[in-house]
Amino acid sequence: MSYLKGRKVFVTGADGFIGSHLVEALVASGANVRALVYYNSWNAKGWLADIPADILSSVEIVTGDVRDPTRMRELVRGRDYVFHLASLIAIPYSYEAPDSYIATNVGGTLNILQACRENDALTRLVHVSTSEVYGTAQQVPIPESHPLVGQSPYSASKIGADKMAESFHLSFGLPVVTARPFNTFGPRQTARAVIPTIAAQLLSGANELRLGALTPTRDFNYAGDTAAGMIALGGCAAAEGQVVNIGSGEEWSIEQTARLLMEITGQNVPIRCEEERLRPEKSEVNRLLADTKLIAELTGWTRQTSFRDGLAHTADWIGRNLQHFDPSRYQR
């Protein structure tokens, strides 16, 4: 029986790509899920709208903003488990609007931490980080002890958020674990990420593939596996106070990924590197590869979906949802 069966769970960032997959997995685990959607006047549910109606009907969808401390205290109160995913994530936009990243990623995380500290019902908070905080790998695979390097305003804001979570554990004994996923991909990811960018161009019949740098490598992990890793950490008391990687333990370059998607889609076209898609030279993270020994030791979690199978599932979903993508322009 899942440790979550009948337990009250709160998810921030539930309307996002990974958040929607986590909500789906939590419902399947028997949890009573309250899902936070960023307030908008259209009453849009984000990617939660892509979840089958029979699953979504059991979810309590609430609106709000993690930058609002009063609202967060109200929504966290009485919840047994909190999964904190809400953040601004696009790296290119962080070069243009760093203040927004500090307000949401650091300030918003502080509000969640304060709310959880005041919540007597809390069993565990899973704070979600990112592998971008490591910068370019100084050793591979990357262990949790790897130095933190703020190579973009986005990664710097996430380092700040992670350190706030650490401080609340050390200062107040808050039962928080920091989950550090590597490059999650899958259905519902937008074209701000490289795999949907590649797949959308190929599936829309482009006669060339327009990308940024081709040599950087990433540890790509399928969304369902990332969600399962977060749930595994939520149920692991031994993980409290720790930072734990979630990744595949495999490394693929952007060019290798593009070639594999060409095979899967049957579209073989030349690749053109566009300058506007390049990060500033000292901001590019050239290599990411997760050391996943700790999560395996703590929880027994391992990834279940191969990279090729995950790409095939993703390409199939993008092919059925091309209306969400505009391959003609670079999405920041």
Side-chain angles (χ1 to χ4, degrees):
M1 178 184 296
S2 168
Y3 76 90
L4 288 167
K5 189 170 180 61
R7 305 303 295 273
K8 296 179 179 179
V9 178
F10 178 49
V11 181
T12 74
D15 48 342
F17 159 51
I18 299 176
S20 66
H21 285 278
L22 178 61
V23 166
E24 216 168 353
L26 288 167
V27 171
S29 296
N32 176 330
V33 181
R34 173 180 289 167
L36 177 65
V37 172
Y38 182 60
Y39 174 78
N40 62 89
S41 59
W42 297 276
N43 201 30
K45 301 179 180 67
W47 286 121
L48 288 176
D50 194 62
I51 294 178
D54 59 329
I55 297 174
L56 194 61
S57 63
S58 67
V59 177
E60 178 193 0
I61 298 176
V62 295
T63 59
D65 187 330
V66 291
R67 294 173 296 179
D68 183 337
T70 302
R71 181 66 167 151
M72 291 309 103
R73 284 197 298 271
E74 173 190 342
L75 295 175
V76 165
R77 189 178 302 122
R79 296 284 115 177
D80 302 306
Y81 293 88
V82 175
F83 292 82
H84 174 46
L85 286 76
S87 65
L88 285 177
I89 58 176
I91 293 168
Y93 186 56
S94 78
Y95 303 134
E96 300 173 2
D99 286 6
S100 300
Y101 285 71
I102 298 300
T104 298
N105 298 353
V106 181
T109 296
L110 174 59
N111 291 336
I112 293 296
L113 292 166
Q114 294 277 38
C116 285
R117 185 185 172 204
E118 297 171 15
N119 175 23
D120 293 337
L122 184 74
T123 297
R124 193 156 298 110
L125 162 64
V126 178
H127 162 67
V128 178
S129 177
T130 169
S131 58
E132 285 285 329
V133 301
Y134 293 128
T136 295
Q138 298 176 30
Q139 63 184 101
V140 289
I142 298 173
E144 288 83 356
S145 58
H146 187 284
L148 303 180
V149 183
Q151 284 188 228
S152 66
Y154 163 67
S155 62
S157 73
K158 293 297 285 186
I159 290 171
D162 294 357
K163 286 299 182 180
M164 288 304 304
E166 178 184 59
S167 76
F168 268 64
H169 175 73
L170 295 175
S171 299
F172 311 117
L174 190 72
V176 56
V177 54
T178 294
R180 190 164 281 161
F182 278 62
N183 297 84
T184 302
F185 75 100
R188 304 177 195 147
Q189 190 172 31
T190 66
R192 61 152 198 87
V194 69
I195 286 175
T197 291
I198 296 168
Q201 289 184 62
L202 293 174
L203 291 166
S204 62
N207 56 17
E208 65 178 2
L209 189 55
R210 294 173 294 139
L211 298 174
L214 301 179
T215 56
T217 65
R218 296 291 184 262
D219 182 318
F220 292 111
N221 198 44
Y222 192 63
D225 288 334
T226 296
M230 292 175 184
I231 291 173
L233 290 174
C236 182
E240 286 181 10
Q242 298 199 57
V243 175
V244 186
N245 290 338
I246 304 175
S248 70
E250 289 183 357
E251 185 177 23
W252 295 82
S253 74
I254 304 305
E255 183 172 7
Q256 287 175 321
T257 301
R259 300 292 180 196
L260 190 51
L261 275 165
M262 287 182 198
E263 290 180 20
I264 290 168
T265 61
Q267 303 293 319
N268 192 4
V269 298
I271 301 174
R272 176 160 64 93
C273 179
E274 290 188 331
E275 186 172 351
E276 70 170 323
R277 296 173 186 260
L278 298 173
R279 295 192 197 180
E281 182 180 355
K282 292 182 180 180
S283 186
E284 179 61 81
V285 172
N286 292 309
R287 192 176 186 191
L288 288 174
L289 175 62
D291 184 332
T292 60
K293 290 194 294 291
L294 182 57
I295 190 172
E297 291 169 0
L298 288 171
T299 71
W301 176 92
T302 58
R303 72 97 178 257
Q304 300 297 308
T305 308
S306 72
F307 187 45
R308 187 184 184 95
D309 286 348
L311 285 179
H313 294 321
T314 304
D316 176 71
W317 183 89
I318 290 173
R320 290 184 282 106
N321 291 275
L322 274 175
Q323 72 273 16
H324 295 306
F325 300 88
D326 182 2
S328 66
R329 69 181 184 91
Y330 170 39
Q331 183 169 323
R332 299 177 67 86

